[in-house]
Amino acid sequence: MNSSIVVMPGDGVGPEITAAALAVLDAVASRYGHTFRLTEVAIGGDAIDKHGVPLRPEDLRVCRKADAILLGAVGGPQWDNIEVGLRPERGLLALRKGLGLFANLRPVAVHPDLASTSPIKSEIVSGVDLVVVRELTGGIYFGKPTRQWADSRGRLAVDTMKYREQEVERVVRLAFELARTRRKQVASVDKSNVLSTSRLWREIVNEIAPEFPDVTLEHVLVDAMAMRLVRQPGRFDVIVMENMFGDILTDEASVIAGSIGLLPSASLGAQKGSGSGRRIGLYEPIHGSAPSMAGQGKANPTGTILSLAMLLRSSLGLTEEAEAVDKAVSSAIANGVRTYDISEPGTSPVSTSDFGAAVASRI
Ligand SMILES: NC(=O)c1ccc[n+]([C@@H]2O[C@H](COP(=O)([O-])OP(=O)(O)OC[C@H]3O[C@@H](n4cnc5c(N)ncnc54)[C@H](O)[C@@H]3O)[C@@H](O)[C@H]2O)c1
């Protein structure tokens, strides 16, 4: 296969963790005889320093033409005081919007040897293997009107949560399709006892469910899900929800794994050509640029390497190669290869690049 991947290292630890993932991609290319054409593009603070803006329009066009994008992280204190519209994170927002990425996937899988690093009891987190699918481009973060004003009784403010059926349908269908490739369970999260948007959400989920008779569906209210995610996370497979609920619950779910450095994500858009199953996607670890760790080889590149596995699977259709990457990460951890954040006291952690090399050597 000959595919094009845009690489956006970004800021802070971004360049180190993407370099570690690219070492793994190199190993995949040699082992399976693929050619991956890589184009490096600046984003975030890096782009502000080089070009004066967090993402240039011409670079967005380069991203649109690529098969997939692998990103490190953006941001850092040196760009905190510039005008809001030009901050590093604006580059990410422009990228998500420009590529029409409507679904954010965050898998949380706990490696058996790392269950003790979670702040939640090992017996609860052992064997957890779930994916949260969050609607990314609708809901209260984008609804109009949104404003604050004052009247004779004092200050007041309004935000608007709005969903069109098509926005719900496409993300819910994606969640069911994903469940089909896994343990065939979908939990749909809403607040249908209070919100009209949630009642529409539930209605549409119930309409789509019969198309997937092999997938089990349950509806869970968002407040109940907040509890169940930490009490019985092992019960869930694919969990789908609207934007703001997803923003909050994905952060809660990330705690289960023990270190933020372990977790990947994918933001997906429409399928490329009908029936191909392949989607344009942006793949990045869930963490930020960890400025205080930058340049020291201390960052855990696992989240970025597992994001690369998601890229191979969802945007390039390379299932076997994706599984090889997942297994190589698991085998490195099982053999005691640990970065600083997940090492046991008294053991010697490896650097970011050595972890990447350890995974690459197992492909
Ligand atoms: N998607 C993104 O690019 C993204 C996401 C969140 C925050 N940010 C930006 O990143 C900067 C730092 O933000 P923050 O400190 O709130 O969040 P952060 O995720 O960068 O760091 C939070 C904590 O996790 C640790 N950590 C992060 N990545 C790690 C890794 N790979 N291995 C081991 N430990 C790791 C950090 O050292 C820190 O203690 C800010 O400028 C923020 O705006 C960017």
Side-chain angles (χ1 to χ4, degrees), residues 11 13 17 71-77 79-80 88-89 92 96 106 259-262 284-293 298-304 339-342:
D11 309 318
V13 297
I17 54 175
L71 188 140
V74 299
W79 302 286
D80 276 353
E89 56 272 24
L92 256 185
R96 285 180 188 152
R106 284 199 186 184
S259 168
I260 195 170
L262 292 166
E284 54 179 324
I286 71 156
H287 61 76
S289 59
S292 64
M293 276 187 166
K298 285 190 171 170
N300 188 341
T302 301
T304 319
T339 42
Y340 286 79
D341 54 326
I342 53 170

Side-chain angles (χ1 to χ4, degrees), residues 137-354:
T137 50
I140 200 163
Y141 296 162
F142 296 94
K144 299 274 183 327
T146 170
R147 68 186 188 106
Q148 181 182 329
W149 73 103
D151 65 11
S152 55
R153 287 187 288 162
R155 284 173 297 172
L156 65 163
V158 66
D159 291 299
T160 305
M161 189 186 266
K162 184 167 95 186
Y163 268 106
R164 281 196 178 278
E165 59 177 316
Q166 294 83 352
E167 289 174 302
V168 179
E169 247 174 62
R170 62 186 181 182
V171 69
V172 167
R173 193 161 272 121
L174 187 148
F176 273 97
E177 281 162 5
L178 177 65
R180 254 194 182 151
T181 66
R182 297 171 43 92
R183 300 197 309 280
K184 300 184 172 50
Q185 297 166 30
V186 168
S188 170
V189 174
D190 63 39
K191 187 73 183 168
S192 59
N193 50 347
V194 179
L195 299 174
S196 296
T197 43
S198 279
R199 282 191 285 276
L200 174 67
W201 179 279
R202 193 176 281 215
E203 227 171 86
I204 291 169
V205 171
N206 284 334
E207 284 162 15
I208 290 175
E211 293 173 31
F212 299 86
D214 50 330
V215 177
T216 317
L217 167 68
E218 75 174 310
H219 296 283
V220 185
L221 291 174
V222 62
D223 38 348
M225 183 54 94
M227 280 200 298
R228 288 179 66 189
L229 259 183
V230 285
R231 290 176 80 156
Q232 32 180 220
R235 288 272 311 277
F236 296 103
D237 179 20
V238 175
I239 312 176
V240 62
M241 63 196 83
E242 68 86 36
N243 201 346
M244 182 172 62
F245 296 164
D247 190 13
I248 298 165
L249 291 186
T250 46
D251 268 24
E252 185 188 352
S254 72
V255 172
I256 296 169
S259 168
I260 195 170
L262 292 166
L263 297 175
S265 81
S267 300
L268 303 179
Q271 278 195 16
K272 286 186 161 175
S274 62
S276 74
R278 286 159 55 178
R279 292 173 186 274
I280 177 80
L282 166 68
Y283 301 83
E284 54 179 324
I286 71 156
H287 61 76
S289 59
S292 64
M293 276 187 166
Q296 299 168 44
K298 285 190 171 170
N300 188 341
T302 301
T304 319
I305 296 171
L306 294 178
S307 300
L308 173 69
M310 295 180 85
L311 180 160
L312 294 169
R313 187 179 286 115
S314 300
S315 284
L316 306 189
L318 299 175
T319 313
E320 191 185 334
E321 291 81 344
E323 268 163 28
V325 173
D326 285 341
K327 278 194 187 135
V329 168
S330 197
S331 149
I333 291 171
N335 282 284
V337 185
R338 304 284 159 84
T339 42
Y340 286 79
D341 54 326
I342 53 170
S343 63
E344 305 269 335
T347 59
S348 18
V350 301
S351 69
T352 309
S353 59
D354 284 350

